[in-house]
Amino acid sequence: MKVLVFGAGGNIGRAITAELLSRGHAVTAASRSGAQAEGPDLPVAVGDAADPGTVARLAQGHDAVVAAIGPKPGAPVPAGAFSGAAHGLIEGLRQAGVRRLLVLGGAGSLEVPGGQRVVDAPDFPDAWKPNALGQAEALEIYRTAGDLDWTYVSPAAIIQPGERTGTYRVGGDQLLADASGESRISIPDYAAGFVDELEKGDAIRRRITLAY
C-alpha cells in the first residue's frame, strides 16, 4: 500500500511511519518543514495539510493518507490548526480521488461514564485544553465527510514511550481504562493498532480509541 503521512516527523508520526515501513508499505513523509522523518531512503515532501491544493498534489497515486499532525509537547496550539487541517485534508483528498484517511486524534473528546467529555472534567489541565478542544472540533468536521473512508483514532488518556507488545483494546467514543482504572497505551502499541486499522478497514467513517 502507498501511504502519504503528514506529521511523520513527530513522536507518534515517527512510530506510525516505522510501523508502516516494517510491514512493507511504501511511505512518503510530508511536513511543512520537509524534515527527515525515518531513515535516509524515505521519500520526503514539503506540504501543509491545511492547503487543499498541496494535499491533492501530494496524495496523487497514494492508496491512503495519514494525518499525524499536532504541536510539539508544551508548544502553543494555533487557533484553527486542527480544523484547518481537517478542511484541507478533506478537500484535497476529494480533488485527488483518494478516499482512505486515518487521523491521529485526541483523547479529550472521549466520554466518561455519564456522557461527560474528558476535556470537560473540572480537573482537566488548562494547558491541555486548546489541543483537546481543537481535536474535538476537527472530529466533528471529519464526521461531515460522508464521501471519504476516514477513521479518527484516539489514544488512551496517557500515551507515552514504551514497548511494542502488539496487545491493545479497541473502543469507540468512550474512554477505555484497565482494571486499575488507568487509561494508557505506549506509542508503539498505538502505532500498531493504527496501522492494523489501516490494513483491516474495520472502522470506516467513525472514531475508535486504542488503550490497554
Side-chain angles (χ1 to χ4, degrees):
M1 191 180 300
K2 294 182 67 176
V3 185
L4 173 66
V5 180
F6 283 96
N11 290 337
I12 300 176
R14 282 179 179 271
I16 292 171
T17 298
E19 185 72 23
L20 286 165
L21 293 172
S22 74
R23 302 191 193 190
H25 297 291
V27 178
T28 299
S31 69
R32 286 181 295 179
S33 66
Q36 186 62 49
E38 184 69 30
D41 298 325
L42 180 67
V44 175
V46 179
D48 186 349
D51 179 9
T54 298
V55 172
R57 175 175 56 83
L58 296 180
Q60 287 283 351
H62 288 82
D63 301 299
V65 171
V66 166
I69 61 174
K72 294 180 180 179
V77 181
F82 292 110
S83 60
H87 285 300
L89 287 161
I90 291 169
E91 181 56 33
L93 265 63
R94 286 170 174 161
Q95 293 178 18
V98 177
R99 293 181 57 89
R100 192 68 171 115
L101 171 65
L102 272 84
V103 180
L104 162 62
S109 59
L110 292 167
E111 299 174 357
V112 294
Q116 182 185 48
R117 298 185 305 176
V118 173
V119 68
D120 296 325
D123 59 349
F124 192 87
D126 288 339
W128 298 357
K129 284 187 177 181
N131 193 328
L133 293 173
Q135 292 274 23
E137 181 183 7
L139 173 58
E140 296 310 309
I141 295 170
Y142 290 118
R143 282 176 166 156
T144 69
D147 56 330
L148 297 182
D149 295 334
W150 61 269
T151 306
Y152 185 96
V153 188
S154 288
I158 298 173
I159 179 169
Q160 57 192 9
E163 296 183 0
R164 184 192 185 285
T165 68
T167 301
Y168 59 88
R169 291 185 296 151
V170 180
D173 287 320
Q174 288 72 43
L175 183 73
L176 288 180
D178 61 20
S180 63
E182 293 185 339
S183 177
R184 59 186 182 86
I185 194 167
S186 72
I187 292 175
D189 278 336
Y190 173 87
F194 192 101
V195 178
D196 283 346
E197 168 52 31
L198 173 62
E199 294 177 340
K200 296 176 182 178
D202 291 337
I204 301 299
R205 288 184 290 279
R206 64 186 180 93
R207 187 252 291 276
I208 60 173
T209 185
L210 305 175
Y212 294 133

